[in-house]
Amino acid sequence: MSTLAFNHEEITARELKPALLELDGISRETVEAHYKLYEGYVNKRNEIMGKLSEVDFASANQIYSEVRALKVDLSFAIGGIKNHEIYFEHLGGDGGDPDGLVADLINRDFGSVAGWRTDLKATGMAGRGWAWTAYDWDEGRLFNYVGDAQNTFAIWNATPLVALDVYEHAYFIDYQTDRGSYIDAFFNNLDWDVVNGWVSAYRITT
């Protein structure tokens, strides 16, 4: 017996900012291909939500069941949506060193901007999919977290402010296996005004 246990509404992909097609060191070809992957996550999220509205919840089982498979894959799709929306939104800037409150937070928690950049680059080199600078609300500080997939190692009660995609699709067209050079290009295209806007909206303080 299937039961509709939630309100199922489809979502749409956010439009790609024109500035992302003119990045320094990350090609238009890469961005357009990357955006199509993001659209795919949105489409799969909608598809899975539709299937969940019809699934037989009485058949749920931790070894294997349709409920488990759909819920696990939904976490991957939603992770892909949220990660990429942060990633695309805070690119298109001039990079360089941050100013404002985010600079104060970085300097307080990493000792310097250079220290933060070194740490995040190393985290990105160590990760298999993602690296995030997130604010931990329990500890009241920034930390660079590593992720191996869209839905792995998420930290409860921590809000991402910088999302670095290190899956090969983010850089292989431009850099082949040279992930480090891609990460440098990522830094050079960060829009710190966007990040400071998030810090303000979330009411993060030093």
Side-chain angles (χ1 to χ4, degrees), residues 103-155:
D104 296 338
L105 291 166
I106 286 173
N107 281 304
R108 183 196 68 183
D109 295 335
F110 294 94
S112 65
V113 173
W116 164 79
R117 191 178 284 112
T118 297
D119 189 290
L120 184 59
K121 183 173 183 178
T123 305
M125 294 298 293
R128 296 171 183 169
W130 288 88
W132 303 277
T133 301
Y135 183 80
D136 186 313
W137 292 94
D138 298 308
E139 296 192 11
R141 58 157 294 170
L142 297 177
F143 192 80
N144 290 329
Y145 297 100
V146 68
D148 282 350
Q150 309 289 2
N151 57 347
T152 54
F153 314 139
I155 306 299

Side-chain angles (χ1 to χ4, degrees), residues 86 90 102 105 132-135 142 159-163 190 192 195 198-199 202 204:
I86 298 170
H90 68 12
V102 70
L105 291 166
W132 303 277
T133 301
Y135 183 80
L142 297 177
T159 300
L161 298 171
V162 176
L190 276 174
W192 288 113
V195 181
W198 290 334
V199 171
Y202 295 134
I204 299 172

